[in-house]
Amino acid sequence: MTPIVGTFLSILSSLTGQLGPNYDPLFYDVMIYIFGTMMFTIFLLGIISFWLRVHGWSYKDNRERWVDELDRHFEREGIGLIPDNGKYW
C-alpha cells in the first residue's frame, strides 16, 4: 500500500509542480492536444457508429432480421390490427 501512495504522491507532485513559477507550457499543450485528439476520435467514432446503425452496411441491414420476422408473424396471425367493424369507436 505504501508504494502505491508514494507513486500517487510523486505523480501528484509532478503535476502540481507545473503550476506557478515551474510552469512548463509544453507540458499542458501536449496534454491538451492528446486529450483533444482522443475526444475528437471518440466523437468521430460515435458519428460513424450512429450512421452505420441507422443506414447499415447494405439495404437489408436497415431493419434487423428479427423485426422482419415479427412483422411477418403479426401479419400472418393478424396481431395488432385495428378492428374495422365500428364496435370500438
Side-chain angles (χ1 to χ4, degrees), residues 2-83:
T2 304
I4 294 173
V5 173
T7 305
F8 177 72
L9 289 177
S10 69
I11 292 172
L12 188 62
S13 66
S14 68
L15 289 177
T16 56
Q18 296 297 322
L19 302 174
N22 297 328
Y23 173 69
D24 181 14
L26 186 60
F27 177 79
Y28 281 119
D29 290 346
V30 171
M31 281 180 55
I32 289 172
Y33 291 148
I34 290 173
F35 182 74
T37 303
M38 289 181 351
M39 290 296 106
F40 185 68
T41 304
I42 291 170
F43 174 71
L44 282 182
L45 286 175
I47 289 176
I48 292 169
S49 64
F50 178 76
W51 189 88
L52 284 176
R53 180 72 178 100
V54 171
H55 298 287
W57 291 105
S58 65
Y59 174 74
K60 188 59 182 166
D61 289 336
N62 287 344
R63 300 186 68 193
E64 296 177 352
R65 290 186 183 93
W66 65 271
V67 176
D68 290 335
E69 290 178 15
L70 275 178
D71 285 344
R72 284 195 300 272
H73 172 70
F74 288 159
E75 288 174 7
R76 185 174 55 244
E77 299 294 327
I79 299 173
L81 298 178
I82 297 175

